Amino acid sequence: MAVHWFPSPRGAREGLRFLALAALTAATACSNGSAPTPTPTPTPSASARAGTTITVTEKEYSLALSPAQATSGTVTFVVDNAGTVAHALAIAGPGVSNAHTSTIPPGGRARLTVAIRPGSYELWCPIAQHKELGMDTRLQVRGNGSASPTSGSAAASATKH
């Protein structure tokens, strides 16, 4: 960038006018004369918004589901370990065979999202002998009137809160 020295105030004023005119010309050239159009924010589709959330409270040695029923589709199990030892959650049923959370420490929380279809699903704690000690329940899933998933899929995550 070159620096110009203007020997008189008149030269400085002419230089400032030139810069102002150049800036105005550049700003006008970049504008089409209308206000910018906002970019639409994508919204999830109805199927992406649809789904059921079931809270599973685990403690020595029981599982409590709220609500205790679901319709086919995507179900997210929010698993709260209210016990004093580590737990986890596993689920099996029509099209779902290997869906489970990681180990959840006492006071921790995990999420397990599963695509399910109508039928009976077993939920249990897969740690040591917890299932045999009573951490085992069933969830009956009814159809929702729309197309059911053809195969089960699952995603899980665990956090300490």
Side-chain angles (χ1 to χ4, degrees):
M1 180 169 132
V3 175
H4 296 282
W5 178 74
F6 298 99
S8 71
R10 181 174 184 254
R13 280 192 303 271
E14 293 299 325
L16 286 175
R17 281 187 193 141
F18 174 77
L19 288 175
L21 181 61
L24 180 61
T25 302
T28 304
C30 292
S31 172
N32 64 4
S34 64
T37 305
T39 304
T41 303
T43 57
S45 66
S47 62
R49 287 189 302 263
T52 302
T53 299
I54 296 177
T55 300
V56 181
T57 303
E58 296 183 317
K59 59 184 176 183
E60 294 76 319
Y61 286 94
S62 66
L63 296 175
L65 306 179
S66 179
Q69 70 278 341
T71 56
S72 62
T74 301
V75 175
T76 298
F77 296 92
V78 177
V79 187
D80 286 320
N81 182 351
T84 58
V85 299
H87 294 297
L89 181 72
I91 182 172
V96 178
S97 60
N98 192 24
H100 59 85
T101 67
S102 59
T103 300
I104 308 165
R109 175 178 280 178
R111 291 172 100 53
L112 176 62
T113 302
V114 183
I116 59 176
R117 51 188 177 205
S120 181
Y121 290 80
E122 181 180 21
L123 287 81
W124 73 95
C125 178
I127 294 179
Q129 298 296 311
H130 293 193
K131 179 179 179 180
E132 292 75 15
L133 292 170
M135 295 186 77
D136 186 25
T137 192
R138 293 198 97 43
L139 175 68
Q140 192 62 39
V141 177
R142 63 187 182 278
N144 64 5
S146 64
S148 298
T150 56
S151 65
S153 62
S157 64
T159 59
K160 171 92 168 134
H161 61 197

